Amino acid sequence: MKKEKKDLTQANTAVKSRDKKKIFMTIGIVVACLAVVYVGFGIFFQSHFCFGTTIDGIKAGGKSVEKMEQLITEEIDSYVLNLVEREEGQESIAGDAIQIAPVFNGEVEELLNGQNGFAWVVTLFKHENLELAKVVTFDENALDSELQALNCMQAGAQREPVDATVSAYTADGYSLVPADYGTTIDKSAFKKAVEDSILVLADELDLDEADCYVKPKVEDDNEKLLAVIDEMNSYVGTTITYNFDVAKEVLDGERISEWLSVDDDLNLVVDEEGVLSFVKELASKYNTCYKPKELKTSYGSTVTISNGPYGWKINNSEEVAQILDDLKAGKKVEREPVYSQTANSHGENDYGNSYVEINLTAQHLFLYKDGVLVTESDFVSGNVAKGHATPGGAFMLTYKTLNAVLRGPDYETPVTYWMPFNGDIGMHDLTSRKAFGGDIYKTRGSHGCINLPYSAAKKIYETIDKGYCVLVYNLPGTESDSVKQKEAAAVVNTINSIGTVTLESEPVIVAARTAYDALSDTAKSYVTNYQTLVDDEAALAALKSGAAAAAQQPAADQTAPADGSTVAPADPAAQTTDGTVAQ
């Protein structure tokens, strides 16, 4: 039994050994076959493209160089370049219209040589897409003709580009006005883009993407344009409120926008002449220098002072500069304008209630400070007889100084208190003068200055400072009593000089009447012989009437009355030998 089991085991082992050999032999055969196939295909793909390979989208698997060149040639023969134009325009250029043809210089063969033929198994699972640097030829003249025939190249289809720019000003400020890019073709750029597309057999050419259009000089995304718009909006966002106490004026974007523009280099330009014009408008409205001023005098009556520089005066050039600075800052500000000269008040009277009141007629002045009378004094003004009359007007104290020496062509006068207010005319003490007021100024006055007693000059000097208002005027009827009496006495003498009234007395009578009427009411009261003037005027009128009647008498004598009576001649006893009327 043991021997039989051993024989059976040996037999089974032999069978298994034979089965293994068969398996190994089968595997070997399969492997050998696969190797033959692999090597065979490897050799095949030395002259053909591997499976799964494409060249510029053309299936190249298993094809030779010659076959691929044939396929590429067929593709080129049917080539069309599609043009994508602005405003949904589309056109095309056919390859056969420009006699397109391939030029092979071993490029396909180089692609073949670049592949590993024995890696053909890999390409079955991982496709390889190759690109061919195609070289083609075409007829340039034919291409030029095709380009010229395109709709997009026709003059009527081309619209010139318009630059992006700044909008007009609105309540919201400035904004970008986009460019109109138009449809004008850049011919040289277009032709080059078409040629480049044909050389690589591109299917499509987007003219916008290829920059084939003429561009506006200023495009929507121009950084400088956007920056200048921001700058302009900052300027018109500025608000300047001018405070004149009694009124306010506002400068805002509406007016500011009139001054702004952009130059060719996209720089902001501010019209400074326009700014100056605005400042002049302010000055015309609020400047008070050289403008008439009403003064309720210390005598109760009101005078108009129409001359003189006292008052508010805007400094035009400095205010323009300040406005430009405010615009650059782009802020909202409230301020006064820049003044070259100021006054006491913006109210009805710019001199307020602090001023020196100088009445040239009365030869008397008053000094007020904050509405309170500080002092008053007689004075002597410019010599009228010598042409040095002191001019009236509204002035301001130029400066003040002590111990000055006043010099002129014919004088050199030391004074303690010197207070000029109108050029070289000023107030000062003059101790050499013993009398002030009255009518001294008419024949023995100054060279134009206001001569004051020492004590009055001292008080004024201690009260006023540079810029203090000095109001100088004439007010007939405010002369001193002594002056009024002198003027009245002169009229009395003129009346007395009339004597017996004759026709030749008329000039004297008229002069007397004129002199009398020119007197103030107070001075008239000193004319004691006024009734004589009235009687003389009546006598003169009667003489002139009688002379007129006598001139008509001869004609009357030659005409008999209608009732036949006669006209008695004039009574010779009623007339004097000199023709005057007996009184």
Side-chain angles (χ1 to χ4, degrees):
M1 284 294 293
K2 289 182 180 181
K3 182 177 179 181
E4 288 178 355
K5 287 182 180 181
K6 182 177 179 181
D7 290 340
L8 182 59
T9 299
Q10 289 177 347
N12 288 336
T13 300
V15 170
K16 289 180 180 180
S17 176
R18 284 194 302 271
D19 289 342
K20 287 181 180 180
K21 286 181 181 180
K22 288 180 182 179
I23 292 171
F24 286 131
M25 185 177 294
T26 301
I27 292 172
I29 292 171
V30 171
V31 169
C33 290
L34 290 174
V36 170
V37 172
Y38 172 77
V39 172
F41 275 108
I43 294 172
F44 175 78
F45 288 126
Q46 298 303 307
S47 58
H48 296 76
F49 289 98
C50 294
F51 296 126
T53 301
T54 60
I55 300 176
D56 288 342
I58 300 174
K59 293 180 179 181
K63 297 181 177 63
S64 65
V65 170
E66 291 76 12
K67 183 61 176 177
M68 282 308 303
E69 289 181 348
Q70 179 185 346
L71 293 174
I72 292 171
T73 299
E74 292 174 356
E75 180 190 33
I76 290 175
D77 287 342
S78 61
Y79 173 72
V80 174
L81 175 62
N82 293 305
L83 305 178
V84 178
E85 302 165 357
R86 281 182 182 168
E87 300 180 357
E88 300 184 356
Q90 291 187 347
E91 298 185 78
S92 61
I93 298 175
D96 58 359
I98 58 174
Q99 302 175 26
I100 192 169
V103 176
F104 295 113
N105 293 312
E107 294 86 356
V108 179
E109 188 173 355
E110 287 180 8
L111 291 178
L112 179 64
N113 294 335
Q115 77 173 8
N116 182 358
F118 288 99
W120 62 269
V121 176
V122 176
T123 62
L124 289 173
F125 305 98
K126 182 180 179 181
H127 295 175
E128 188 169 9
N129 300 312
L130 302 178
E131 292 184 358
L132 178 64
K134 302 183 188 71
V135 179
V136 298
T137 61
F138 55 86
D139 187 320
E140 288 197 15
N141 291 330
L143 177 60
D144 288 341
S145 297
E146 286 294 307
L147 293 178
Q148 290 302 319
L150 291 171
N151 289 333
C152 66
M153 292 290 284
Q154 306 311 305
Q158 298 195 30
R159 189 177 70 256
E160 291 291 333
V162 178
D163 292 344
T165 187
V166 182
S167 71
Y169 174 77
T170 68
D172 296 324
Y174 295 96
S175 59
L176 174 71
V177 177
D180 178 356
Y181 284 77
T183 55
T184 300
I185 298 292
D186 182 336
K187 295 179 180 179
S188 60
F190 180 40
K191 181 177 180 181
K192 184 178 185 305
V194 169
E195 289 176 343
D196 290 346
S197 298
I198 292 172
L199 289 175
V200 297
L201 297 177
D203 294 328
E204 183 177 276
L205 172 62
D206 188 315
L207 274 62
D208 248 331
E209 293 179 359
D211 291 331
C212 296
Y213 291 100
V214 175
K215 293 182 179 179
K217 294 179 181 178
V218 183
E219 300 188 67
D220 296 350
D221 59 352
N222 186 289
E223 292 183 1
K224 198 167 184 181
L225 175 61
L226 297 176
V228 80
I229 291 174
D230 288 343
E231 187 178 9
M232 294 173 77
N233 280 328
S234 175
Y235 273 45
V236 296
T238 302
T239 300
I240 302 175
T241 302
Y242 291 95
N243 190 344
F244 293 98
D245 288 343
V246 295
K248 291 185 178 183
E249 295 282 344
V250 178
L251 171 62
D252 57 18
E254 188 70 31
R255 184 64 182 271
I256 294 169
S257 66
E258 297 176 7
W259 309 332
L260 306 184
S261 61
V262 179
D263 65 17
D264 292 340
D265 295 323
L266 300 181
N267 296 310
L268 176 61
V269 178
V270 181
D271 178 12
E272 294 191 17
E273 286 299 317
V275 181
L276 178 59
S277 178
F278 167 77
V279 173
K280 286 182 177 179
E281 289 175 21
L282 280 184
S284 176
K285 187 174 182 179
Y286 292 101
N287 279 1
T288 59
C289 59
Y290 296 103
K291 290 185 177 180
K293 306 181 193 306
E294 299 293 320
L295 172 65
K296 179 69 177 295
T297 69
S298 299
Y299 298 86
S301 56
T302 299
V303 296
T304 299
I305 302 173
S306 57
N307 180 48
Y310 183 84
W312 298 97
K313 185 178 181 181
I314 295 174
N315 188 316
N316 289 355
S317 60
E318 290 190 16
E319 177 57 29
V320 167
Q322 184 60 54
I323 288 175
L324 294 176
D325 287 343
D326 290 341
L327 293 180
K328 291 176 183 176
K331 297 179 180 178
K332 300 183 186 300
V333 296
E334 181 170 344
R335 61 176 177 82
E336 288 187 298
V338 181
Y339 290 109
S340 58
Q341 180 177 297
T342 60
N344 287 338
S345 170
H346 280 293
E348 182 178 357
N349 295 312
D350 58 6
Y351 51 81
N353 57 8
S354 295
Y355 52 89
V356 179
E357 177 186 343
I358 298 178
N359 184 341
L360 296 173
T361 305
Q363 293 286 288
H364 196 80
L365 66 72
F366 305 85
L367 169 61
Y368 292 97
K369 186 174 180 64
D370 298 327
V372 177
L373 178 63
V374 177
T375 189
E376 61 178 298
S377 173
D378 284 341
F379 60 82
V380 176
S381 62
N383 190 322
V384 176
K386 292 185 177 182
H388 299 313
T390 303
F395 308 98
M396 72 285 294
L397 187 69
T398 310
Y399 64 91
K400 66 179 184 177
T401 188
L402 296 172
N403 303 316
V405 177
L406 309 182
R407 294 182 173 86
D410 56 352
Y411 66 93
E412 185 172 298
T413 306
V415 300
T416 302
Y417 304 104
W418 173 230
M419 297 164 281
F421 59 81
N422 180 16
D424 57 0
I425 296 175
M427 296 175 285
H428 63 82
D429 58 292
L430 189 62
T431 55
S432 61
R433 191 181 288 281
K434 303 306 179 184
F436 298 88
D439 60 354
I440 299 170
Y441 72 101
K442 292 183 178 180
T443 56
R444 293 179 291 116
S446 69
H447 287 82
C449 287
I450 304 299
N451 296 171
L452 291 161
Y454 183 90
S455 59
K458 180 177 185 294
K459 187 65 175 178
I460 294 170
Y461 185 92
E462 292 172 347
T463 304
I464 68 176
D465 287 301
K466 178 180 179 181
Y468 210 90
C469 182
V470 180
L471 301 172
V472 186
Y473 63 90
N474 287 279
L475 182 57
T478 58
E479 299 87 349
S480 65
D481 281 344
S482 62
V483 172
K484 293 174 183 176
Q485 290 170 4
K486 284 183 180 181
E487 292 174 343
V491 174
V492 169
N493 291 335
T494 302
I495 295 172
N496 287 337
S497 71
I498 297 172
T500 302
V501 176
T502 67
L503 291 174
E504 286 73 22
S505 301
E506 183 173 8
V508 180
I509 293 174
V510 170
R513 167 56 67 183
T514 301
Y516 179 84
D517 288 345
L519 295 176
S520 66
D521 291 343
T522 303
K524 287 177 180 177
S525 68
Y526 296 128
V527 178
T528 56
N529 58 350
Y530 176 67
Q531 186 59 44
T532 300
L533 173 61
V534 173
D535 293 341
D536 288 348
E537 287 174 329
L540 177 62
L543 280 175
K544 292 172 72 175
S545 176
Q552 296 295 322
Q553 189 65 44
D557 290 343
Q558 295 174 11
T559 305
D563 59 1
S565 63
T566 59
V567 179
D571 184 3
Q575 295 185 347
T576 63
T577 56
D578 60 3
T580 61
V581 177
Q583 299 183 38

